[in-house]
Every structure is written in C-alpha cells, then in structure tokens.
C-alpha cells in the first residue's frame, strides 16, 4: 500500500501550491493589520540612578552635602524598595529601586530637583 506523499503531490500540483502560499501570505498580512494595539501594556521602569558631580569635593563632602539631602527626599517615597549610595572623589551615585506595585513617581522626582545643573 502506497502512503500519501506530500512532496510528490506538491510537485505534481505547482499551481495549487502557489495559490495556497499566496492565500496564506494574504491571510497572514490581513491578520497582522487587524492586530489590536493594546496587546503590549504600558509599563513603568522601577529603577532609577541619581548622579551628581562636584569637582574637587571629597567623598565626605559629597555624602554630607549631596547624598544625605537627596536620600532624605527619596526615603519619603512610599514604595521605596532599595536605596544604595556610592560617594567618590567629586561624584556621587544613588541607585533607587521601587516595589513592583509602585505608581509612577516622575512628577515627584522632578519636584525634588534643586538649582544644580
């Protein structure tokens, strides 16, 4: 008994195979254009890096005059998960992570910016 051979059938019916390929292409393009635009939900990044430079300042000065006031402001955020500070010669870097349930806080962060550039 001879089983059905798809390759042999396709070689014997090239017009039908071409039609099926074109039909699948058109159906795929139509479905792609009909995709909803809300499948990718909006998300907010929950990690921030705050950095400051002050040429010539010692790490102790950076900690006392830059890092401590910024940390006090950041600790006022309700959904704060993690806060880490590095102070080096002339630079300070603060890493802030928020809990997953935290709402966007961009407006509050922009309000804490001082006159530094």
């Amino acid at each position: 008994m001879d089983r059905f051979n798809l390759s042999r059938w396709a070689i014997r019916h090239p017009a039908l195979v071409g039609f099926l390929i074109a039909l699948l292409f058109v159906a795929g393009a139509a479905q792609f254009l009909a995709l909803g635009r809300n499948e990718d939900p909006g998300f907010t990044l929950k990690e921030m890096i705050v950095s400051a430079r002050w040429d010539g300042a010692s790490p102790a000065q950076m900690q006392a005059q830059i890092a401590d006031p910024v940390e006090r402001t950041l600790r006022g955020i309700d959904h704060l998960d993690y806060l880490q500070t590095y102070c080096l010669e002339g630079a300070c870097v603060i890493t802030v992570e928020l809990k997953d349930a935290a709402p966007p806080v961009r407006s509050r962060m922009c309000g804490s910016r001082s006159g530094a550039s």
Side-chain angles (χ1 to χ4, degrees):
M1 179 169 174
D2 198 20
R3 295 186 334 179
F4 177 72
N5 188 339
L6 182 62
S7 300
R8 184 179 303 147
W9 180 87
I11 291 172
R12 290 183 182 166
H13 301 91
L16 188 55
V17 170
F19 173 74
L20 289 175
I21 290 173
L23 182 67
L24 286 173
F25 178 77
V26 170
Q31 289 303 311
F32 177 75
L33 294 174
L35 278 175
R37 301 295 184 244
N38 291 330
E39 268 110 30
D40 296 329
F43 63 92
T44 304
L45 296 177
K46 304 294 183 186
E47 185 171 321
M48 298 172 274
I49 297 177
V50 180
S51 64
R53 290 185 43 122
W54 183 7
D55 293 333
S58 69
Q61 287 176 316
M62 292 297 293
Q63 181 69 38
Q65 296 184 18
I66 303 294
D68 289 344
V70 172
E71 282 183 2
R72 276 194 296 276
T73 302
L74 292 173
R75 289 191 194 278
I77 298 172
D78 294 333
H79 298 283
L80 181 67
D81 187 30
Y82 178 75
L83 185 66
Q84 184 176 23
T85 304
Y86 293 104
C87 289
L88 306 169
E89 188 78 26
C92 180
V93 177
I94 302 172
T95 303
V96 182
E97 290 184 21
L98 302 177
K99 295 177 183 172
D100 288 334
V105 294
R106 179 168 172 76
S107 61
R108 183 167 180 180
M109 291 294 97
C110 290
S112 69
R113 179 177 279 218
S114 66
S117 56

